[in-house]
C-alpha cells in the first residue's frame, strides 16, 4: 500500500511516529512522509522512504510567528496535494496536523492518529476563542487511532464517532542498540552508570508541570545510600530547579532516540509520575489516562516501575504486575513502593519483559489499514 504520513512536528521528538514509520517500511508499504527532521533521523532509510522536510519555525515577534504559521500551512497543503497524487492513504499524527491540512482531507482515505486526549482544538495557536471543528474530521476519517483504551471510548463519546477508535500503544517497534553511535559524552555517562553501586532510579521524558518529580527526588535523597535518581530529557527551568534543589540527583541531557535507550538499559527502576493538570488544549483527563511510550521502554529492559495513581498506569501495573502506583506521591509512599519492588524484583522484571512482548504492533497496524 502507498501511504503518506504527515507529522507537523519534529519527528526526532516523537518516538511513536518513528515506530510507525519503521512498522510500515518493514511490512513492505511504500511510505512518503512530510515532517520536520532537525536531527536527520530519517536518513537511515535511504531510498526506502520518500521524505519531504518542512522548514523549522522561525522565532521572533508575533508578526513573524504568524507569518511562519501560515507559510507552514501553505507548504503542508501544497505537499499533501502533490503527494496524494500517488498515495492511497493519508495518515496524520497530531490534531494540529489535521488543522493545517484542512478540508482537503475529506477527499482522501484518512487515518487520524492522536497522541493526546483532545476535546477541542483552537482555530489558531495561542487563543481559545475560535475553535477548529476537529470533531467533523474525526467523524469523516476512515479510522481514528489512539494509544490507550480509555481514551478510545472517551474520544468516541466526545466526538460522537460511529466506531470506537483503534488502540495502537506507544510501544517502540524495534529495540536494537548495536548500530547506535555513542558520543564521548554519552560514553562517559554510561560508564558512570555501569560503575554505580546504588540502584539507579530513572526518569526519562519531558519536564512538564504534570510530572511530579520533586516527590521522587526528595524520597530518593532520603535513601541516597541505596538509591540514586537520574533524570534524562531536554533541559528547561524545571529541570534546572530540580538539580539545584536536589544536588544528589544526576541529570542527563536529551539523547536523540534511540540513543536514550542505552541509558535505560543501565537503570534498575523506572519512574512514571503524572498528575492531572490543564496543559494547552489537552484535556485535563490526559494525564489520568496517560499512555507513555516509556512504560514500554522501561519494560523492554525489565525495569519495574513506580508511578502515580492514575488509571493509565494502574491498569497495566496491576494486570501484569510490572509496577507500583502510589496513592499519593509523598516520601513515605514512594519509599514503600521501592521496598515492594526490591522484595519482588526478579518476578516483576520478568513480568515487564512479558508485558513488552504481549503487544503485536504488526497485527495492530495491519488491522488499521485493512478494510473492516
Amino acid at each position: 500500500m502507498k501511504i503518506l504520513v504527515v507529522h507537523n512536528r519534529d519527528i526526532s521528538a516523537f518516538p511513536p511516529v518513528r515506530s510507525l514509520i519503521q512498522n510500515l517500511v518493514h511490512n513492505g508499504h511504500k511510505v512518503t512522509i512530510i515532517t520536520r527532521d532537525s536531527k536527520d533521523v530519517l536518513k537511515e532509510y535511504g531510498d526506502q522512504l520518500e521524505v519531504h522536510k518542512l522548514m523549522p519555525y522561525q522565532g521572533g515577534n508575533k508578526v513573524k510567528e504568524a507569518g511562519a504559521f501560515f507559510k507552514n500551512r501553505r507548504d503542508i497543503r501544497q505537499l499533501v496535494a502533490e503527494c496524494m497524487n500517488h498515495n492511497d492513504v493519508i495518515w496524520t499524527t497530531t490534531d494540529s496536523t489535521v488543522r493545517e491540512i484542512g478540508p482537503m482531507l475529506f477527499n482522501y482515505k484518512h487515518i487520524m492518529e492522536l497522541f493526546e486526549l483532545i476535546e477541542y482544538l483552537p482555530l489558531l495557536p495561542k487563543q481559545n476563542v475560535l475553535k477548529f471543528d476537529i470533531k467533523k474530521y474525526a467523524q469523516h476519517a476512515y479510522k481514528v487511532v489512539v494509544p490507550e483504551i480509555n481514551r478510545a471510548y472517551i474520544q468516541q463519546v466526545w466526538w460522537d464517532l460511529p466506531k470506537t477508535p483503534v488502540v495502537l500503544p506507544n510501544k517502540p517497534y524495534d529495540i536494537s542498540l548495536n548500530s547506535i553511535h555513542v558520543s564521548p559524552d554519552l560514553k562517559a555517562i554510561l560508564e558512570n552508570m555501569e560503575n554505580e553501586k546504588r540502584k539507579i532510579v530513572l526518569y526519562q521524558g519531558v519536564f512538564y508541570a504534570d510530572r511530579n518529580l520533586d516527590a521522587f527526588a526528595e524520597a530518593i535523597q532520603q535513601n541516597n545510600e541505596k538509591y540514586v535518581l537520574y533524570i534524562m530529557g531536554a533541559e528547561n527551568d524545571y529541570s534546572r530547579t530540580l538539580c539545584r534543589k536536589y544536588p544528589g540527583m544526576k541529570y542527563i541531557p536529551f539523547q536523540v532516540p534511540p540513543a536514550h535507550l542505552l541509558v535505560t538499559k543501565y537503570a534498575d527502576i523506572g519512574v512514571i509520575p503524572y498528575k492531572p493538570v490543564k496543559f494547552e488544549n489537552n484535556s485535563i483527563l490526559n494525564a489520568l489516562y496517560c499512555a507513555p511510550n516509556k512504560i514500554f521502554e522501561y519494560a523492554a529492559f525489565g525495569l519495574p516501575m513506580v508511578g502515580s495513581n492514575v488509571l493509565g498506569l494502574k491498569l497495566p501495573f496491576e494486570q501484569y504486575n510490572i509496577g507500583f502506583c502510589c496513592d499519593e506521591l509523598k516520601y513515605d509512599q514512594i519509599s514503600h513502593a521501592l521496598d515492594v519492588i526490591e522484595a519482588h524484583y526478579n518476578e516483576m522484571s520478568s513480568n515487564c519483559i512479558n508485558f513488552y512482548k504481549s503487544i503485536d504492533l504488526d497485527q495492530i497496524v495491519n488491522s488499521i489499514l485493512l478494510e473492516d
Side-chain angles (χ1 to χ4, degrees):
M1 189 176 291
K2 297 177 181 178
I3 303 168
L4 171 64
V5 177
V6 189
H7 179 64
N8 183 32
R9 301 287 290 277
D10 197 312
I11 194 170
S12 65
F14 280 76
V17 181
R18 297 183 62 184
S19 177
L20 173 65
I21 298 301
Q22 283 183 290
N23 188 313
L24 295 174
V25 170
H26 182 264
N27 282 284
H29 298 288
K30 179 67 175 177
V31 183
T32 302
I33 184 167
I34 299 171
T35 189
R36 291 181 181 79
D37 185 14
S38 63
K39 307 293 185 182
D40 285 329
V41 299
L42 296 175
K43 66 181 179 182
E44 65 181 270
Y45 291 99
D47 58 7
Q48 291 181 294
L49 185 65
E50 180 182 330
V51 179
H52 297 272
K53 288 188 181 182
L54 298 169
M55 294 297 292
Y57 270 121
Q58 299 297 321
N61 58 36
K62 290 183 179 180
V63 174
K64 288 184 177 180
E65 287 183 359
F69 171 78
F70 286 108
K71 182 182 185 304
N72 174 73
R73 172 176 286 182
R74 288 194 301 270
D75 291 345
I76 288 177
R77 292 183 177 183
Q78 181 177 347
L79 285 168
V80 167
E82 294 171 359
C83 292
M84 285 308 294
N85 285 326
H86 58 269
N87 280 283
D88 307 309
V89 176
I90 182 168
W91 188 313
T92 60
T93 58
T94 67
D95 53 343
S96 63
T97 301
V98 173
R99 180 183 63 194
E100 305 333 330
I101 299 173
M104 69 171 64
L105 281 170
F106 298 134
N107 301 324
Y108 309 128
K109 186 175 182 179
H110 173 210
I111 296 172
M112 179 177 171
E113 185 168 12
L114 300 167
F115 294 121
E116 308 297 344
L117 188 56
I118 302 297
E119 189 170 4
Y120 73 93
L121 181 66
L123 185 63
L124 298 170
K126 298 183 179 179
Q127 63 83 36
N128 283 314
V129 178
L130 301 176
K131 304 293 193 298
F132 174 76
D133 192 2
I134 193 169
K135 173 181 175 179
K136 177 174 64 175
Y137 288 79
Q139 291 173 337
H140 191 271
Y142 169 64
K143 298 278 180 70
V144 177
V145 179
V146 298
E148 195 269 340
I149 185 65
N150 293 287
R151 292 189 184 189
Y153 288 98
I154 293 171
Q155 292 286 182
Q156 184 180 24
V157 171
W158 277 350
W159 290 348
D160 192 23
L161 302 179
K163 296 180 181 178
T164 308
V166 181
V167 177
L168 177 61
N170 287 334
K171 174 188 175 181
Y173 185 70
D174 176 47
I175 291 188
S176 177
L177 306 181
N178 296 330
S179 60
I180 298 175
H181 170 69
V182 180
S183 67
D185 289 344
L186 180 55
K187 183 179 179 181
I189 291 168
L190 298 177
E191 287 175 351
N192 287 336
M193 295 181 75
E194 188 175 16
N195 294 326
E196 177 61 62
K197 304 302 181 184
R198 297 168 292 179
K199 293 285 182 69
I200 295 175
V201 181
L202 173 68
Y203 171 79
Q204 57 189 42
V206 295
F207 301 112
Y208 286 158
D210 65 346
R211 316 297 159 94
N212 190 359
L213 291 169
D214 289 83
F216 284 89
E218 182 180 346
I220 291 169
Q221 184 169 275
Q222 296 296 323
N223 290 274
N224 62 3
E225 293 182 359
K226 185 184 296 185
Y227 301 104
V228 59
L229 177 63
Y230 277 73
I231 61 172
M232 175 171 58
E235 187 180 33
N236 63 10
D237 289 341
Y238 183 35
S239 68
R240 287 188 286 269
T241 298
L242 285 168
C243 290
R244 287 194 299 268
K245 191 174 179 180
Y246 305 100
M249 186 173 60
K250 309 291 185 180
Y251 170 72
I252 300 175
F254 172 77
Q255 305 295 318
V256 177
H260 71 296
L261 296 176
L262 292 169
V263 174
T264 314
K265 180 181 177 182
Y266 282 100
D268 298 290
I269 296 170
V271 167
I272 310 184
Y274 284 85
K275 62 179 180 180
V277 296
K278 190 74 177 74
F279 180 71
E280 296 182 344
N281 66 297
N282 295 344
S283 168
I284 197 168
L285 300 178
N286 200 52
L288 185 62
Y289 298 107
C290 61
N293 54 294
K294 53 184 163 283
I295 192 173
F296 291 100
E297 293 174 342
Y298 293 152
F301 295 99
L303 274 62
M305 293 156 250
V306 180
S308 46
N309 190 23
V310 295
L311 288 173
L313 300 178
K314 190 176 182 66
L315 293 178
F317 281 15
E318 292 185 351
Q319 181 179 354
Y320 293 93
N321 189 24
I322 59 174
F324 190 97
C325 286
C326 300
D327 290 335
E328 295 182 273
L329 291 181
K330 294 183 177 180
Y331 159 73
D332 57 340
Q333 294 198 27
I334 293 172
S335 296
H336 174 65
L338 294 172
D339 290 340
V340 170
I341 288 174
E342 185 172 0
H344 303 279
Y345 191 87
N346 291 337
E347 176 189 357
M348 296 180 76
S349 180
S350 178
N351 290 340
C352 285
I353 294 172
N354 291 335
F355 164 70
Y356 179 82
K357 292 179 178 179
S358 70
I359 307 296
D360 186 342
L361 294 180
D362 286 327
Q363 185 276 324
I364 297 172
V365 170
N366 187 53
S367 73
I368 293 170
L369 293 170
L370 288 178
E371 298 284 350
D372 290 334

